Amino acid sequence: MYICNMSNSKLYKGSLNTIILKLLNEHDKMYGYEITQKVKVLTKGELNITEGALYPALHKLEAEGLLDVELAKVDNRLRKYYKLTETGTKETISKLNELAEYIKTMQKLVNPKLV
Amino acid sequence: MKLTKEEIKYIENYLIKNEVKFWDVRLELLDHIVSAIEDKIDNEGISFNEALLDVHHGFGNRIHNGYTYDLDFEKALHIDNKGFKKFTLKAQKEMGRQHRKRFWKTFPKYLMSFRFFIEILIVIGVVYNVHQQSPKTSAIIALIVCFVPEISKVFFGVFDRSNRRSLKMQMAVNLSSLYVCMSYLSMGIFNSYYEDAANKPYVYLTVTFVCLFPFARHGLATYKQIFKENQKEYKLMCS
Protein backbone atom coordinates (compact mmCIF):
# COMPACT_ATOMS: atom_id res chain seq x y z
CA MET A 1 0.00 0.00 0.00
CA TYR A 2 2.75 2.46 0.90
CA ILE A 3 6.23 2.79 -0.45
CA CYS A 4 7.72 3.50 2.91
CA ASN A 5 11.28 3.95 4.04
CA MET A 6 10.36 2.79 7.51
CA SER A 7 10.92 -0.85 8.35
CA ASN A 8 7.27 -1.93 8.60
CA SER A 9 4.80 -0.14 6.36
CA LYS A 10 1.96 -2.41 7.54
CA LEU A 11 1.89 -0.49 10.81
CA TYR A 12 0.90 2.65 8.91
CA LYS A 13 -1.81 1.11 6.73
CA GLY A 14 -4.66 1.70 9.13
CA SER A 15 -3.71 5.32 9.69
CA LEU A 16 -3.96 6.55 6.10
CA ASN A 17 -7.51 7.91 6.47
CA THR A 18 -6.58 9.68 9.70
CA ILE A 19 -3.51 11.23 8.04
CA ILE A 20 -5.63 12.55 5.15
CA LEU A 21 -8.35 13.89 7.45
CA LYS A 22 -5.79 15.57 9.71
CA LEU A 23 -4.09 17.29 6.77
CA LEU A 24 -7.38 18.50 5.35
CA ASN A 25 -8.39 19.76 8.77
CA GLU A 26 -5.31 21.96 8.82
CA HIS A 27 -5.75 23.22 5.26
CA ASP A 28 -8.83 24.63 3.63
CA LYS A 29 -8.59 22.37 0.58
CA MET A 30 -5.92 20.14 -0.97
CA TYR A 31 -5.42 18.14 -4.16
CA GLY A 32 -4.06 14.60 -4.39
CA TYR A 33 -0.45 15.32 -5.29
CA GLU A 34 -0.28 18.08 -2.69
CA ILE A 35 -1.28 15.59 0.03
CA THR A 36 1.49 13.12 -0.94
CA GLN A 37 4.07 15.92 -0.91
CA LYS A 38 2.88 17.35 2.40
CA VAL A 39 3.18 13.93 4.09
CA LYS A 40 6.67 13.52 2.62
CA VAL A 41 7.77 16.93 3.94
CA LEU A 42 6.20 16.51 7.40
CA THR A 43 7.78 13.08 7.92
CA LYS A 44 11.08 14.21 6.34
CA GLY A 45 10.74 11.58 3.63
CA GLU A 46 10.11 8.71 6.06
CA LEU A 47 6.54 8.12 4.90
CA ASN A 48 5.78 8.12 1.23
CA ILE A 49 2.14 7.57 0.23
CA THR A 50 1.82 5.99 -3.20
CA GLU A 51 -0.74 7.12 -5.74
CA GLY A 52 -2.27 3.65 -5.72
CA ALA A 53 -3.07 4.01 -2.01
CA LEU A 54 -3.99 7.68 -1.81
CA TYR A 55 -6.75 7.96 -4.41
CA PRO A 56 -8.81 4.91 -3.34
CA ALA A 57 -8.68 6.31 0.22
CA LEU A 58 -9.79 9.76 -0.98
CA HIS A 59 -12.62 8.27 -3.05
CA LYS A 60 -13.72 6.15 -0.09
CA LEU A 61 -13.81 9.15 2.23
CA GLU A 62 -15.74 11.09 -0.42
CA ALA A 63 -18.28 8.25 -0.76
CA GLU A 64 -18.68 8.18 3.01
CA GLY A 65 -19.58 11.85 2.91
CA LEU A 66 -16.52 12.97 4.89
CA LEU A 67 -14.98 14.84 1.96
CA ASP A 68 -16.37 17.22 -0.57
CA VAL A 69 -14.92 17.83 -4.03
CA GLU A 70 -14.36 21.16 -5.75
CA LEU A 71 -13.15 21.44 -9.33
CA ALA A 72 -10.98 24.31 -10.50
CA LYS A 73 -9.20 25.09 -13.74
CA VAL A 74 -5.44 25.28 -13.19
CA ASP A 75 -2.92 25.66 -16.04
CA ASN A 76 -5.40 24.52 -18.69
CA ARG A 77 -6.41 21.36 -16.85
CA LEU A 78 -8.97 20.53 -14.20
CA ARG A 79 -7.82 20.05 -10.63
CA LYS A 80 -9.88 18.17 -8.07
CA TYR A 81 -9.64 19.76 -4.63
CA TYR A 82 -10.74 17.83 -1.57
CA LYS A 83 -12.09 19.51 1.54
CA LEU A 84 -13.71 18.34 4.75
CA THR A 85 -17.47 18.31 5.14
CA GLU A 86 -19.11 19.03 8.49
CA THR A 87 -19.31 15.30 9.21
CA GLY A 88 -15.68 15.00 8.11
CA THR A 89 -14.56 17.61 10.65
CA LYS A 90 -16.34 15.73 13.45
CA GLU A 91 -14.91 12.42 12.25
CA THR A 92 -11.37 13.88 12.22
CA ILE A 93 -11.58 14.74 15.92
CA SER A 94 -12.87 11.27 16.76
CA LYS A 95 -10.22 9.55 14.58
CA LEU A 96 -7.41 11.60 16.13
CA ASN A 97 -8.61 10.74 19.64
CA GLU A 98 -8.75 7.09 18.61
CA LEU A 99 -5.20 7.26 17.30
CA ALA A 100 -3.94 8.99 20.45
CA GLU A 101 -5.54 6.26 22.57
CA TYR A 102 -3.94 3.60 20.42
CA ILE A 103 -0.49 5.18 20.75
CA LYS A 104 -1.00 5.43 24.51
CA THR A 105 -1.96 1.74 24.76
CA MET A 106 0.97 0.69 22.64
CA GLN A 107 3.28 2.81 24.76
CA LYS A 108 2.00 0.98 27.86
CA LEU A 109 2.84 -2.34 26.24
CA VAL A 110 6.14 -1.44 24.65
CA ASN A 111 7.58 0.95 27.18
CA PRO A 112 5.67 0.87 30.50
CA LYS A 113 8.31 2.97 32.29
CA LEU A 114 7.57 5.99 30.10
CA VAL A 115 3.83 6.04 30.84
CA MET B 1 9.11 24.08 -14.92
CA LYS B 2 5.63 24.02 -16.44
CA LEU B 3 4.89 21.34 -19.02
CA THR B 4 3.98 22.46 -22.53
CA LYS B 5 0.55 21.90 -24.07
CA GLU B 6 2.07 19.21 -26.31
CA GLU B 7 3.52 17.35 -23.33
CA ILE B 8 0.17 17.49 -21.51
CA LYS B 9 -1.58 16.22 -24.65
CA TYR B 10 0.99 13.43 -24.84
CA ILE B 11 0.18 12.40 -21.25
CA GLU B 12 -3.55 12.45 -22.00
CA ASN B 13 -3.03 10.22 -25.04
CA TYR B 14 -0.82 7.92 -22.98
CA LEU B 15 -3.70 7.54 -20.47
CA ILE B 16 -6.17 6.81 -23.26
CA LYS B 17 -3.77 4.21 -24.72
CA ASN B 18 -3.55 2.65 -21.26
CA GLU B 19 -7.33 2.20 -21.31
CA VAL B 20 -8.29 4.95 -18.89
CA LYS B 21 -11.44 5.51 -20.93
CA PHE B 22 -13.56 7.60 -18.55
CA TRP B 23 -12.89 11.35 -18.83
CA ASP B 24 -13.80 11.99 -15.20
CA VAL B 25 -11.21 9.44 -14.03
CA ARG B 26 -8.65 10.73 -16.50
CA LEU B 27 -8.88 14.35 -15.35
CA GLU B 28 -7.71 13.47 -11.84
CA LEU B 29 -4.94 11.22 -13.11
CA LEU B 30 -3.81 13.84 -15.63
CA ASP B 31 -3.49 16.55 -13.01
CA HIS B 32 -1.58 14.25 -10.66
CA ILE B 33 0.82 13.05 -13.36
CA VAL B 34 1.49 16.57 -14.69
CA SER B 35 2.09 17.94 -11.16
CA ALA B 36 4.38 15.00 -10.31
CA ILE B 37 6.42 15.31 -13.51
CA GLU B 38 6.86 19.08 -13.10
CA ASP B 39 7.99 18.50 -9.53
CA LYS B 40 10.40 15.70 -10.44
CA ILE B 41 11.98 17.69 -13.28
CA ASP B 42 12.48 20.68 -10.96
CA ASN B 43 13.67 18.90 -7.82
CA GLU B 44 15.27 15.67 -9.00
CA GLY B 45 16.68 17.02 -12.25
CA ILE B 46 15.43 14.09 -14.33
CA SER B 47 14.05 14.19 -17.87
CA PHE B 48 10.36 14.19 -18.89
CA ASN B 49 10.56 10.56 -20.00
CA GLU B 50 12.22 9.38 -16.78
CA ALA B 51 9.70 11.30 -14.66
CA LEU B 52 6.73 9.89 -16.59
CA LEU B 53 8.05 6.33 -16.21
CA ASP B 54 8.53 6.94 -12.49
CA VAL B 55 4.94 8.16 -12.03
CA HIS B 56 3.61 5.33 -14.24
CA HIS B 57 5.36 2.86 -11.92
CA GLY B 58 4.02 4.71 -8.84
CA PHE B 59 0.45 3.88 -9.87
CA GLY B 60 1.29 0.18 -9.64
CA ASN B 61 2.01 -0.46 -13.33
CA ARG B 62 5.02 -2.58 -14.31
CA ILE B 63 7.63 -0.91 -16.49
CA HIS B 64 9.42 -4.08 -17.55
CA ASN B 65 8.20 -7.45 -18.75
CA GLY B 66 9.93 -9.63 -16.18
CA TYR B 67 12.93 -10.65 -18.22
CA THR B 68 13.97 -7.51 -20.12
CA TYR B 69 14.61 -4.65 -17.72
CA ASP B 70 15.92 -2.09 -20.19
CA LEU B 71 12.91 -1.68 -22.47
CA ASP B 72 12.73 1.50 -24.55
CA PHE B 73 10.56 4.34 -23.24
CA GLU B 74 7.44 3.76 -25.36
CA LYS B 75 7.39 0.00 -24.70
CA ALA B 76 7.91 0.41 -20.96
CA LEU B 77 5.08 2.93 -20.83
CA HIS B 78 2.55 0.61 -22.42
CA ILE B 79 3.64 -2.84 -21.29
CA ASP B 80 1.27 -2.93 -18.32
CA ASN B 81 -1.76 -0.97 -17.13
CA LYS B 82 -2.90 -3.08 -14.18
CA GLY B 83 -2.38 -0.17 -11.80
CA PHE B 84 -4.74 2.05 -13.81
CA LYS B 85 -7.29 -0.76 -14.14
CA LYS B 86 -7.26 -1.25 -10.38
CA PHE B 87 -7.55 2.51 -9.91
CA THR B 88 -10.64 2.67 -12.18
CA LEU B 89 -12.26 -0.36 -10.54
CA LYS B 90 -11.84 1.10 -7.06
CA ALA B 91 -13.15 4.48 -8.23
CA GLN B 92 -16.14 2.69 -9.80
CA LYS B 93 -16.90 0.86 -6.55
CA GLU B 94 -16.75 4.02 -4.47
CA MET B 95 -18.77 6.00 -7.03
CA GLY B 96 -21.53 3.38 -6.87
CA ARG B 97 -21.50 3.57 -3.07
CA GLN B 98 -21.68 7.36 -3.19
CA HIS B 99 -24.67 7.30 -5.55
CA ARG B 100 -26.49 4.71 -3.45
CA LYS B 101 -25.90 6.76 -0.33
CA ARG B 102 -27.23 9.88 -2.06
CA PHE B 103 -30.28 7.93 -3.26
CA TRP B 104 -31.26 6.71 0.24
CA LYS B 105 -30.42 10.00 1.91
CA THR B 106 -32.77 11.97 -0.33
CA PHE B 107 -35.45 9.29 -0.61
CA PRO B 108 -37.55 10.21 2.50
CA LYS B 109 -37.55 13.89 1.49
CA TYR B 110 -38.63 12.95 -2.03
CA LEU B 111 -41.51 10.81 -0.70
CA MET B 112 -42.75 13.82 1.27
CA SER B 113 -42.65 16.18 -1.73
CA PHE B 114 -45.88 17.57 -3.15
CA ARG B 115 -44.94 16.60 -6.68
CA PHE B 116 -44.49 12.96 -5.78
CA PHE B 117 -47.73 13.01 -3.79
CA ILE B 118 -49.67 14.13 -6.88
CA GLU B 119 -47.89 11.60 -9.13
CA ILE B 120 -48.55 8.61 -6.86
CA LEU B 121 -52.19 9.70 -6.40
CA ILE B 122 -52.69 9.75 -10.18
CA VAL B 123 -50.95 6.37 -10.60
CA ILE B 124 -52.98 4.69 -7.84
CA GLY B 125 -56.21 6.29 -9.10
CA VAL B 126 -55.72 5.17 -12.71
CA VAL B 127 -54.50 1.68 -11.79
CA TYR B 128 -57.36 1.15 -9.30
CA ASN B 129 -60.05 2.26 -11.74
CA VAL B 130 -58.69 0.14 -14.58
CA HIS B 131 -58.36 -2.82 -12.20
CA GLN B 132 -62.15 -2.77 -11.69
CA GLN B 133 -62.61 -3.39 -15.42
CA SER B 134 -59.59 -5.53 -16.30
CA PRO B 135 -56.90 -6.65 -13.81
CA LYS B 136 -54.52 -7.62 -16.63
CA THR B 137 -54.68 -4.18 -18.27
CA SER B 138 -54.17 -2.61 -14.88
CA ALA B 139 -50.97 -4.66 -14.36
CA ILE B 140 -49.73 -3.61 -17.81
CA ILE B 141 -50.42 0.05 -17.03
CA ALA B 142 -48.56 -0.26 -13.70
CA LEU B 143 -45.61 -1.84 -15.55
CA ILE B 144 -45.58 0.98 -18.11
CA VAL B 145 -45.62 3.52 -15.26
CA CYS B 146 -42.54 1.82 -13.81
CA PHE B 147 -40.82 2.06 -17.20
CA VAL B 148 -41.64 5.76 -17.75
CA PRO B 149 -38.69 7.04 -15.61
CA GLU B 150 -36.33 4.81 -17.60
CA ILE B 151 -37.65 6.11 -20.93
CA SER B 152 -37.52 9.72 -19.65
CA LYS B 153 -33.74 9.40 -19.33
CA VAL B 154 -33.55 9.77 -23.12
CA PHE B 155 -34.50 13.43 -22.63
CA PHE B 156 -31.92 13.88 -19.90
CA GLY B 157 -28.61 13.46 -21.51
CA VAL B 158 -28.40 10.10 -23.24
CA PHE B 159 -27.11 11.97 -26.29
CA ASP B 160 -25.21 14.59 -24.29
CA ARG B 161 -21.43 14.65 -24.79
CA SER B 162 -20.79 14.84 -21.04
CA ASN B 163 -22.48 11.46 -20.62
CA ARG B 164 -20.14 9.66 -22.97
CA ARG B 165 -17.39 7.77 -21.23
CA SER B 166 -18.21 9.20 -17.83
CA LEU B 167 -17.84 6.87 -14.85
CA LYS B 168 -20.13 9.06 -12.76
CA MET B 169 -22.93 8.79 -15.31
CA GLN B 170 -22.39 5.09 -15.92
CA MET B 171 -22.90 4.40 -12.24
CA ALA B 172 -25.93 6.76 -12.15
CA VAL B 173 -27.54 4.81 -15.00
CA ASN B 174 -26.91 1.54 -13.14
CA LEU B 175 -28.56 2.90 -10.01
CA SER B 176 -31.61 4.36 -11.71
CA SER B 177 -32.18 1.24 -13.83
CA LEU B 178 -32.07 -1.14 -10.89
CA TYR B 179 -35.74 -0.80 -9.94
CA VAL B 180 -36.92 -1.08 -13.53
CA CYS B 181 -34.97 -4.34 -13.74
CA MET B 182 -36.68 -5.46 -10.53
CA SER B 183 -40.11 -4.86 -12.00
CA TYR B 184 -39.12 -6.85 -15.06
CA LEU B 185 -37.79 -9.63 -12.84
CA SER B 186 -40.98 -9.78 -10.75
CA MET B 187 -42.98 -10.12 -13.96
CA GLY B 188 -40.80 -13.08 -14.97
CA ILE B 189 -41.25 -14.74 -11.58
CA PHE B 190 -45.01 -14.15 -11.70
CA ASN B 191 -45.31 -15.67 -15.17
CA SER B 192 -43.31 -18.76 -14.31
CA TYR B 193 -45.15 -19.29 -10.99
CA TYR B 194 -48.66 -18.91 -12.39
CA GLU B 195 -47.90 -20.38 -15.81
CA ASP B 196 -50.68 -22.97 -15.71
CA ALA B 197 -53.20 -21.03 -13.61
CA ALA B 198 -56.54 -20.40 -15.31
CA ASN B 199 -57.15 -17.09 -13.54
CA LYS B 200 -53.86 -15.37 -12.83
CA PRO B 201 -53.94 -13.09 -9.77
CA TYR B 202 -52.78 -9.94 -11.59
CA VAL B 203 -53.44 -7.91 -8.48
CA TYR B 204 -50.09 -9.13 -7.00
CA LEU B 205 -48.24 -7.92 -10.05
CA THR B 206 -50.06 -4.58 -10.03
CA VAL B 207 -49.29 -3.99 -6.35
CA THR B 208 -45.61 -4.92 -6.89
CA PHE B 209 -45.28 -2.46 -9.78
CA VAL B 210 -47.00 0.33 -7.88
CA CYS B 211 -44.71 -0.31 -4.89
CA LEU B 212 -41.65 -0.16 -7.16
CA PHE B 213 -42.77 3.10 -8.78
CA PRO B 214 -41.49 5.43 -5.98
CA PHE B 215 -38.03 3.83 -6.22
CA ALA B 216 -37.90 4.02 -10.02
CA ARG B 217 -39.18 7.61 -9.93
CA HIS B 218 -36.65 8.69 -7.32
CA GLY B 219 -33.98 6.87 -9.32
CA LEU B 220 -34.76 9.24 -12.21
CA ALA B 221 -34.67 12.28 -9.90
CA THR B 222 -31.23 11.23 -8.58
CA TYR B 223 -30.03 10.56 -12.13
CA LYS B 224 -31.12 14.05 -13.23
CA GLN B 225 -29.31 15.63 -10.28
CA ILE B 226 -26.08 13.73 -11.05
CA PHE B 227 -26.44 14.54 -14.75
CA LYS B 228 -26.61 18.28 -14.07
CA GLU B 229 -23.50 18.13 -11.86
CA ASN B 230 -21.64 16.08 -14.43
CA GLN B 231 -22.60 18.42 -17.26
CA LYS B 232 -21.28 21.38 -15.25
CA GLU B 233 -17.95 19.62 -14.69
CA TYR B 234 -17.70 18.70 -18.37
CA LYS B 235 -18.37 22.29 -19.44
CA LEU B 236 -15.68 23.49 -17.04
CA MET B 237 -13.24 20.99 -18.51
CA CYS B 238 -13.99 22.04 -22.09
CA SER B 239 -13.90 25.79 -21.35
Side-chain angles (χ1 to χ4, degrees), chain B residues 1-198:
Chain B
M1 191 199 92
K2 295 276 174 215
L3 294 190
T4 61
K5 267 187 182 174
E6 288 72 33
E7 284 169 325
I8 295 173
K9 192 77 202 148
Y10 178 85
I11 297 167
E12 195 169 7
N13 287 334
Y14 137 81
L15 286 171
I16 295 168
K17 272 186 194 169
N18 272 306
E19 294 172 33
V20 186
K21 54 181 182 174
F22 299 110
W23 66 262
D24 41 0
V25 176
R26 215 161 48 226
L27 74 89
E28 191 166 34
L29 284 173
L30 181 72
D31 180 52
H32 183 99
I33 295 171
V34 172
S35 305
I37 292 175
E38 285 174 350
D39 194 39
K40 280 176 192 289
I41 292 173
D42 284 343
N43 299 321
E44 294 172 29
I46 56 176
S47 68
F48 172 84
N49 288 6
E50 285 169 319
L52 181 54
L53 270 181
D54 226 21
V55 184
H56 180 71
H57 190 50
F59 274 99
N61 303 301
R62 280 189 293 115
I63 48 171
H64 54 77
N65 55 15
Y67 42 87
T68 315
Y69 277 77
D70 51 348
L71 288 172
D72 68 68
F73 174 67
E74 279 290 334
K75 266 189 183 171
L77 213 52
H78 298 104
I79 200 153
D80 179 49
N81 61 4
K82 270 188 189 148
F84 288 143
K85 277 186 180 168
K86 216 172 156 185
F87 183 96
T88 310
L89 272 175
K90 283 184 180 171
Q92 193 172 5
K93 188 183 152 197
E94 294 306 335
M95 191 69 81
R97 207 151 74 98
Q98 196 180 349
H99 286 352
R100 281 195 300 278
K101 208 171 171 183
R102 180 200 284 239
F103 178 90
W104 289 112
K105 205 177 167 184
T106 50
F107 191 52
K109 200 181 166 190
Y110 184 76
L111 289 184
M112 298 294 165
S113 66
F114 180 71
R115 190 179 174 166
F116 175 73
F117 181 71
I118 298 292
E119 281 177 8
I120 197 78
L121 266 186
I122 294 170
V123 169
I124 292 172
V126 169
V127 166
Y128 180 77
N129 281 316
V130 175
H131 184 77
Q132 306 298 318
Q133 321 294 324
S134 160
K136 192 178 178 180
T137 315
S138 154
I140 292 169
I141 290 173
L143 178 69
I144 291 169
V145 163
C146 263
F147 267 86
V148 166
E150 189 68 13
I151 298 160
S152 311
K153 268 193 254 171
V154 176
F155 304 104
F156 294 102
V158 166
F159 302 112
D160 199 274
R161 282 186 77 89
S162 65
N163 265 13
R164 287 181 208 157
R165 304 237 178 241
S166 161
L167 182 65
K168 202 176 196 174
M169 288 318 293
Q170 196 190 65
M171 297 315 287
V173 169
N174 288 357
L175 176 83
S176 60
S177 306
L178 179 69
Y179 299 100
V180 175
C181 293
M182 277 169 79
S183 59
Y184 195 71
L185 181 74
S186 50
M187 192 171 68
I189 294 168
F190 178 85
N191 281 337
S192 59
Y193 195 77
Y194 294 107
E195 203 178 359
D196 304 319

Side-chain angles (χ1 to χ4, degrees), chain A residues 31-33 36-37 50-52 55-56 59-60 62-65 71-73 75-80 82, chain B residues 2 5 8 27-28 31-32 34-36 38-39 55 58-59 87 90-91 94 97-98 101 233 236-237 239:
Chain A
Y31 57 96
Y33 187 70
T36 59
Q37 292 311 294
T50 61
E51 293 84 348
Y55 286 101
H59 295 154
K60 198 177 171 193
E62 189 194 341
E64 282 169 3
L71 284 175
K73 197 123 197 185
D75 295 332
N76 272 326
R77 60 180 190 270
L78 274 194
R79 178 163 285 170
K80 222 173 165 180
Y82 292 91
Chain B
K2 295 276 174 215
K5 267 187 182 174
I8 295 173
L27 74 89
E28 191 166 34
D31 180 52
H32 183 99
V34 172
S35 305
E38 285 174 350
D39 194 39
V55 184
F59 274 99
F87 183 96
K90 283 184 180 171
E94 294 306 335
R97 207 151 74 98
Q98 196 180 349
K101 208 171 171 183
E233 285 175 13
L236 186 66
M237 189 182 75
S239 65

Side-chain angles (χ1 to χ4, degrees), chain B residues 189-212:
Chain B
I189 294 168
F190 178 85
N191 281 337
S192 59
Y193 195 77
Y194 294 107
E195 203 178 359
D196 304 319
N199 286 319
K200 290 180 183 175
Y202 286 107
V203 65
Y204 293 152
L205 210 53
T206 311
V207 170
T208 310
F209 292 153
V210 172
C211 288
L212 281 171

Side-chain angles (χ1 to χ4, degrees), chain A residues 23-31 34-35 68-72 79-84:
Chain A
L23 282 176
L24 289 170
N25 198 29
E26 286 168 355
H27 299 82
D28 181 32
K29 55 183 184 179
M30 286 177 102
Y31 57 96
E34 195 183 5
I35 295 173
D68 216 357
V69 164
E70 196 183 292
L71 284 175
R79 178 163 285 170
K80 222 173 165 180
Y81 283 101
Y82 292 91
K83 56 182 182 184
L84 285 179

